[in-house]
Amino acid sequence: MAPRESQIPTGSDYFRDQWRAWRILGALQLNARKYWSGATALNIFVALFSPSLLLSMFSFDTPLENITNFSLSITSTATVLKLGLYVVHLGRLREMEKIIARLDDRVKGAAQQRCHRLMAKKLRKLSNVFLYTYGFVLLNSEFSFLFTRERSLPFPAWFPFDWKNSTTNYIGALCFQFVAILFQILQNFADDSFPPVALCLCAEHCQLLSLRISSIGHESNEQEANDAELVLCIKDQKDLYGLLQLTSALISWPMTIQFFVMALNVGATMFGLVFFAESIHDRMYFASYLLALVMQTYPICFYGSLLEERFGQLHYAVFCSNWVNQNRRYRTNMLILAERTKSNPRLLAGNLVPIHLSTFQASCKAAYSFFTLIGNTRDRAKSN
């Protein structure tokens, strides 16, 4: 009987948390075109949070409220758009899981199994980091308003009724914002954690393929068996490229929105944190919000860069195999594989922006530019 630690999750288990979130949000029902359901009503209810923020943009008395409202407005709008894009393409995730299952079945040998176990642990930890980070943001956003002296809402927004002078209306506004932000953070968790988890999985399976290729001929002297294993590795490479194409098609446009929103949001959030956040609760809120914004972009850029590096190692792995002592057919197939590994894939968001650490650096520079622009505008307004 196999030891318990070798029982590694496969298929949809890698994206278990994301599937659960999308199921709660009704994304699966919407993808199946079940429009008249509780899921539809829930998504419409949560989507109303964006107009309530947008209608009150820059209409508050304090700069802190205006900055908070601006950041939440663009984040909420982007969240709704990203969820809609994922709903349309969720069927591709099922195709991805079929390819992942085939690649998992190819894992054999102590080294590969050890690498596979580490991959499963890494994916679980990565998903948990997003879960804990967004949970921390939820706690800070929902309860910081309790420490204010006057009656206030967690988020500055517009309502078509007077909530300041009516307890019933105030409780209704609080309940609406609590439910809306809870589900929007759940949307953000699913939408933002899926891309880095998917790219990390592709990168780790690429490393497993490198281990398989480089070990050919070193453990067995049977040339026919080695040639058959090389052919299977060529098929694995084809599956890996197919997995990468499906991943790119699924995350491309949501990441385009994310890169654009990140630059504006980080600049505005940093400005609020540096110049206007005075109480410890406001500082904790802005700090946690800034952490969530970085988590939305940095991991996906990191694993995009790692993916390019891992695919670049495939070419070297081909020549690490014991190809010298193999037959002519093996060497012919090896040259075919070597030529195929020369092209290193680069994922693009919206077919334009590389999903790479260089893009994260560029986003940080754009955020600083926006931060400076707000500061210059503020200084001009004071001088006038």
Side-chain angles (χ1 to χ4, degrees):
M1 186 175 182
R4 187 173 183 82
E5 65 174 2
S6 66
Q7 297 176 0
I8 304 172
T10 58
S12 60
D13 286 341
Y14 293 124
F15 307 110
R16 180 178 60 195
D17 293 337
Q18 289 75 22
W19 275 122
R20 285 176 178 173
W22 280 323
R23 186 174 291 108
I24 293 171
L25 295 167
L28 302 185
Q29 294 92 320
L30 292 175
N31 177 258
R33 298 184 179 181
K34 297 178 180 178
Y35 302 119
W36 301 106
S37 64
T40 306
L42 175 63
N43 280 279
I44 292 175
F45 178 80
V46 175
L48 290 175
F49 186 58
S50 297
S52 71
L53 294 169
L54 291 169
L55 288 172
S56 59
M57 188 177 290
F58 305 122
S59 64
F60 297 95
D61 297 331
T62 64
L64 187 64
E65 287 181 313
N66 284 321
I67 290 174
T68 304
N69 176 265
F70 173 77
S71 298
L72 289 172
S73 295
I74 59 176
T75 300
S76 179
T77 304
T79 298
V80 173
L81 293 176
K82 287 190 297 181
L83 180 66
L85 290 170
Y86 276 111
V87 165
V88 173
H89 299 294
L90 271 181
R92 288 176 176 169
L93 184 51
R94 294 295 188 190
E95 298 177 38
M96 288 174 57
E97 289 176 343
K98 293 178 182 178
I99 297 176
I100 293 168
R102 289 201 297 269
L103 292 173
D104 283 341
D105 290 339
R106 291 277 293 132
V107 175
K108 61 181 180 180
Q112 291 183 46
Q113 288 179 358
R114 182 167 56 252
C115 183
H116 199 204
R117 284 194 294 271
L118 290 174
M119 178 190 76
K121 292 179 180 178
K122 186 182 296 184
L123 294 176
R124 174 53 43 202
K125 289 179 180 178
L126 182 59
S127 187
N128 286 339
V129 166
F130 277 90
L131 192 62
Y132 297 147
T133 301
Y134 285 12
F136 182 59
V137 173
L138 177 64
L139 290 175
N140 274 318
S141 62
E142 291 291 355
F143 297 111
S144 60
F145 79 102
L146 295 176
F147 298 94
T148 59
R149 295 180 180 179
E150 298 179 357
R151 178 178 287 182
S152 63
L153 294 172
F155 310 101
W158 174 84
F159 283 97
F161 50 79
D162 182 13
W163 54 268
K164 289 187 177 180
N165 300 314
S166 171
T167 303
T168 303
N169 291 342
Y170 180 59
I171 293 174
L174 285 178
C175 291
F176 170 77
Q177 287 202 343
F178 177 78
V179 174
I181 200 63
L182 173 64
F183 280 95
Q184 285 221 336
I185 286 181
L186 190 61
Q187 288 175 0
N188 273 307
F189 165 74
D191 299 346
D192 298 336
S193 64
F194 172 76
V197 168
L199 290 193
C200 179
L201 192 146
C202 290
E204 295 302 319
H205 265 297
C206 187
Q207 184 180 24
L208 284 166
L209 179 57
S210 295
L211 289 175
R212 280 198 292 276
I213 294 173
S214 60
S215 66
I216 298 176
H218 295 289
E219 299 175 356
S220 172
N221 295 322
E222 298 181 8
Q223 294 190 354
E224 294 295 330
N226 292 334
D227 183 57
E229 177 63 21
L230 182 63
V231 171
L232 290 175
C233 287
I234 293 175
K235 293 180 179 178
D236 291 342
Q237 190 207 26
K238 182 180 178 182
D239 277 340
L240 198 56
Y241 275 105
L243 178 62
L244 198 59
Q245 289 175 356
L246 287 170
T247 303
S248 177
L250 194 56
I251 70 174
S252 176
W253 289 107
M255 288 309 304
T256 305
I257 296 172
Q258 187 55 55
F259 286 140
F260 177 74
V261 169
M262 185 260 187
L264 295 177
N265 240 339
V266 169
T269 304
M270 279 297 298
F271 194 80
L273 178 62
V274 172
F275 291 105
F276 298 112
E278 297 179 353
S279 67
I280 185 65
H281 308 294
D282 289 336
R283 289 174 182 171
M284 286 182 62
Y285 166 73
F286 276 104
S288 63
Y289 191 64
L290 188 63
L291 175 63
L293 291 175
V294 173
M295 284 295 297
Q296 285 180 331
T297 311
Y298 178 77
I300 180 68
C301 292
F302 172 80
Y303 285 110
S305 299
L306 180 64
L307 192 67
E308 290 187 24
E309 180 184 341
R310 292 285 170 81
F311 270 89
Q313 294 171 355
L314 280 177
H315 188 73
Y316 178 74
V318 173
F319 293 95
C320 286
S321 67
N322 187 15
W323 59 274
V324 177
N325 297 326
Q326 305 305 313
N327 57 31
R328 182 177 180 180
R329 184 171 59 182
Y330 179 93
R331 291 195 292 269
T332 300
N333 289 332
M334 187 204 75
L335 290 175
I336 293 174
L337 179 58
E339 287 298 318
R340 287 167 58 91
T341 56
K342 283 184 177 180
S343 59
N344 293 335
R346 167 161 281 200
L347 296 179
L348 298 176
N351 299 320
L352 182 65
V353 182
I355 301 177
H356 193 269
L357 282 174
S358 59
T359 302
F360 178 77
Q361 184 181 20
S363 297
C364 291
K365 290 179 179 179
Y368 177 73
S369 299
F370 188 61
F371 175 91
T372 306
L373 177 64
I374 300 175
N376 292 337
T377 304
R378 173 173 169 259
D379 293 339
R380 290 195 197 98
K382 281 186 174 181
S383 62
N384 293 333

